[in-house]
Every structure is written in structure tokens, then in C-alpha cells.
Amino acid sequence: MSLYEQLVAQLDPATTVLLTVECQEGVVGEDSALPELAAQARKSGVLANVARLVSAAHGAGVQVVHAVAERRADGRGANRNARLFRAAERLPVRQIVGSPAVRVAAPIEVAEEDFVVGRLHGLSPVAGTGVDALLRNLGCRDVVVVGVSANVAVPNAVFDLVNLGYGVVVAEDAVAGVPEEYVGAVMRHSLGLVARVVGAGEIWGVWERDSALGQGV
């Protein structure tokens, strides 16, 4: 069976969810709290690839879930048990609930049927966020993971999903991290051991074909 045939079997719109991770204005937008990461996501084409995958998912009837990181203005309930969390409290842009910083970043389009799930604590877009319950209620079997960053949140999402029994596909050129060369290393030496790692074009090729067939093209 070719890779394309394997992907067609695995990416059935009825049982697949596209999960975008922290693709929010305060992380990858023009006024990011993490300008190096935001610049890498944009100049490398990662953000554009995420946007096209989301568009292809919408066209094929694939459920999209956007996971965003946020915090209360008073910081209650947020972690402070790691250097990363303490550094976030000092950043000029803070991911406050309801603020522009937690909106899904352009050019990614959020459709009415999408879910936007915020988390107030921890490192994972999945554990303790309600995402697992949503996926199960949606009849999800496989999850396509994209977004930021390859350093922390994306690996957390992939490992949690695998531990929960989902099949996982990672679009390697729709994931950003710093330094840029680290992304390839984590794909080869970590995520590739537990998930199917492919190019974004291979995924949207399946979904865009499904969309075209559904429209009788």
C-alpha cells in the first residue's frame, strides 16, 4: 500500500480531527510575546501551511479543534513550577482570557463548527483541558497535530494523544520551533517514533481530493 493510500485510510473525515496548537496572536501573530518563534513560523511557511490545512479540513468535513494557551488576569490557577511559566509572567504580551492575544492568528480561519479550547494551566493542549472528551464524543480515531511549538506543546500533545489511544499524524512543515533546526531533530528522533510524520501537502492532498469528489468535480 502506498503512503497516499495509507493516508486516505487514516485521514477519514468522519473519524479524524485536525488539532492546531497555540496558533494564536500572542504566540505567532504580529505582536507576539515570542517574536523569534513567531518570525520562524511565518518565514518558514509553517503558519501558511496550517492555514491551508485548516481550509482543506473545512472543505472535506474534517472537524477542527484549536487549542490555545491562556491565563486569568490575576494569574490564579496557572502553574509556577517551571522556569517557562515564571518567564511567561514577565513577557510584554500576556495571554489573558478574552484578549486579542488568545485569538486564533491570521491567516487561519475559524469556522462556526470549529472548537476553540483554552487551557489555564500546564503544558499540554490535551491533558486536563477537555480535549480528550471532545474527541471521543466526536467519534475521533485519528488526530492530525500542527502548530507550535516543537519545543514543548506539540510533543506534549502527541504523547498525550498516543497514550490515550489515538492514532496521530504530524505535519512536519506545519510545526514551528526554535531553533529551526531543532524541529527536524524532534521529528526524527522523538515524534517519528510514535506518530506518522508527513508533509502538510500530503495531508491536504487527501482532504482537497475528498472535497472535490464531494462536490462532484
Side-chain angles (χ1 to χ4, degrees):
M1 183 181 291
S2 69
L3 174 61
Y4 179 78
E5 292 171 325
Q6 293 174 43
L7 286 174
V8 168
Q10 187 169 14
L11 301 178
D12 181 351
T15 57
T16 303
V17 166
L18 173 62
L19 176 67
T20 76
V21 178
E22 294 185 29
C23 293
Q24 58 198 79
E25 290 289 351
V27 178
V28 296
E30 297 291 345
D31 297 317
S32 170
L34 303 165
E36 183 182 1
L37 178 60
Q40 197 272 321
R42 290 178 176 276
K43 74 177 182 181
S44 65
V46 163
L47 202 57
N49 287 342
V50 173
R52 182 164 177 182
L53 282 168
V54 169
S55 178
H58 289 156
V62 174
Q63 179 67 58
V64 180
V65 177
H66 305 279
V68 299
E70 57 189 12
R71 59 186 292 120
R72 287 168 50 117
D74 61 10
R76 287 171 59 84
N79 288 66
R80 292 183 177 82
N81 58 334
R83 185 162 60 98
L84 177 65
F85 301 125
R86 296 190 292 274
E89 293 179 342
R90 300 190 297 271
L91 292 173
V93 178
R94 302 177 70 202
Q95 320 297 326
I96 303 300
V97 176
S99 73
V102 301
R103 294 177 191 159
V104 176
I108 301 167
E109 295 185 359
V110 181
E112 185 177 354
E113 63 268 22
D114 293 0
F115 289 95
V116 180
V117 181
R119 77 175 193 275
L120 292 171
H121 58 83
L123 299 170
S124 175
V126 177
T129 64
V131 164
D132 179 38
L134 280 177
L135 296 178
R136 295 188 188 282
N137 290 343
L138 291 164
C140 176
R141 183 187 64 201
D142 294 282
V143 183
V144 176
V145 179
V146 298
V148 298
S149 71
N151 303 78
V152 179
V154 168
N156 265 267
V158 171
F159 293 139
D160 285 344
L161 290 166
V162 171
N163 284 332
L164 289 166
Y166 297 98
V168 181
V169 178
V170 180
E172 60 184 335
D173 50 350
V175 174
V178 288
E180 187 173 2
E181 57 269 22
Y182 177 72
V183 180
V186 80
M187 293 295 170
R188 287 191 301 275
H189 304 299
S190 295
L191 302 189
L193 302 177
V194 298
R196 185 189 298 275
V197 177
V198 297
E202 293 170 299
I203 299 170
W204 72 53
V206 172
W207 289 342
E208 288 175 358
R209 176 180 175 273
D210 286 344
S211 179
L213 290 173
Q215 296 172 18
V217 176

